[in-house]
Amino acid sequence: MHINWKKVFNISFGVIIGIYLLLAVTAFNHPIERDMVCRDMQISVEGSVTGGFLTPADIRRILTEQQLNPVGKKLADVNLRNMEERLEAQELIDNAEAYKTLGGNVKLSIKERVPVMRVMTNGQDYYVDRDGKALRNTGYVFNLVVATGSISQTYASRVLAPIGRIIMADDFWRNQIEQIHVLPDSTIEMVPRVGEHIIYIGRPIGVTKKLERLRKFYRYGLSQAGWNKYKRISVEFNNQIVCKKR
């Protein structure tokens, strides 16, 4: 009987390589899952246009309070899924991903929900995030524009959240606009921190262009006439600004 030594060699070589890889992987994972202790927890929090609100210290505190801080525990006893679920149950956390490293650490990647406006109307007090989702009033303090007036949650989600993103993305408007008031016809007024006037936006359409027109008026008009000369400034219509003197 003729023996195909080449075939035998290939099969034997494949078996040997397979056994070697199995032993290598087993030996490599063995100390991680059975003997190694978590030395550190490395946390990254996805920022936003405003730098975000949560810090790695906040995440560490939450896990410590939940008795889920992995530092000092055997990696085999660290339940990553449990950590993720507990973190995602927090109001300000949208997504959490945890994994173990070969060096004996646990890494956490956090995506936070960033509030862009606070809504206070009809006895309700809540935030809307950059995606238009409502957040209950948490223990965190946010320096945000406050919206009042005739506001439904749908209006807050579809209209106020985009305006909040515009304001929060601009240092000048984030410091200048203090309050948004929604009138019964769904048009908008804004209350500034500097200047004793009301800004009438009108329908919430083309808000970026309206604010840019107002910015130029602030720079070239009010800076000369005085910030308290007018009691009402309207940027409702395109290519014009209508002012009412005090």
Side-chain angles (χ1 to χ4, degrees), residues 130-148:
R130 56 189 169 187
D131 297 319
K133 298 177 182 177
L135 292 81
R136 61 182 174 83
N137 197 336
T138 66
Y140 292 87
V141 178
F142 307 114
N143 184 24
L144 299 174
V145 174
V146 175
T148 59

Side-chain angles (χ1 to χ4, degrees), residues 66-232:
Q66 299 281 340
Q67 298 182 343
L68 290 173
N69 192 326
V71 178
K73 297 179 181 179
K74 287 187 177 182
L75 284 177
D77 297 331
V78 175
N79 188 326
L80 298 180
R81 186 56 194 158
N82 195 18
M83 292 172 61
E84 292 171 344
E85 289 176 350
R86 294 292 184 91
L87 287 171
E88 289 174 355
Q90 301 294 314
E91 191 75 15
L92 288 175
I93 296 178
D94 183 44
N95 179 261
E97 293 183 1
Y99 58 94
K100 302 170 186 177
T101 71
L102 298 178
N105 300 325
V106 169
K107 283 195 173 185
L108 279 171
S109 178
I110 306 296
K111 180 182 178 182
E112 64 177 321
R113 297 177 64 185
V114 180
V116 294
M117 191 171 296
R118 183 176 183 179
V119 179
M120 301 179 67
T121 181
N122 300 323
Q124 298 185 70
D125 186 354
Y126 61 93
Y127 297 97
V128 287
D129 70 8
R130 56 189 169 187
D131 297 319
K133 298 177 182 177
L135 292 81
R136 61 182 174 83
N137 197 336
T138 66
Y140 292 87
V141 178
F142 307 114
N143 184 24
L144 299 174
V145 174
V146 175
T148 59
S150 303
I151 305 171
S152 66
Q153 285 204 2
T154 299
Y155 188 93
S157 174
R158 295 181 180 178
V159 178
L160 295 183
I163 294 176
R165 291 198 301 268
I166 293 170
I167 293 173
M168 294 297 287
D170 189 293
D171 288 338
F172 178 76
W173 295 122
R174 189 164 67 248
N175 292 309
Q176 172 66 353
I177 302 300
E178 182 175 38
Q179 179 182 349
I180 287 177
H181 186 71
V182 182
L183 300 173
D185 62 357
S186 297
T187 58
I188 289 176
E189 294 177 337
M190 293 183 176
V191 180
R193 284 190 172 91
V194 179
E196 297 180 5
H197 56 267
I198 297 296
I199 304 161
Y200 184 66
I201 297 293
R203 296 176 62 199
I205 297 173
V207 174
T208 299
K209 291 182 178 180
K210 291 177 180 180
L211 288 179
E212 190 56 36
R213 196 158 67 247
L214 179 62
R215 189 201 304 267
K216 292 178 180 178
F217 180 69
Y218 275 171
R219 181 179 301 169
Y220 303 111
L222 287 190
S223 61
Q224 302 295 325
W227 284 81
N228 297 323
K229 181 175 182 178
Y230 304 105
K231 65 179 182 180
R232 180 181 173 88

Side-chain angles (χ1 to χ4, degrees), residues 32-51:
I32 292 181
E33 290 299 327
R34 292 188 56 184
D35 301 325
M36 291 190 71
V37 172
C38 179
R39 299 184 303 172
D40 189 22
M41 180 169 52
Q42 299 167 351
I43 304 169
S44 64
V45 181
E46 179 185 313
S48 68
V49 291
T50 58

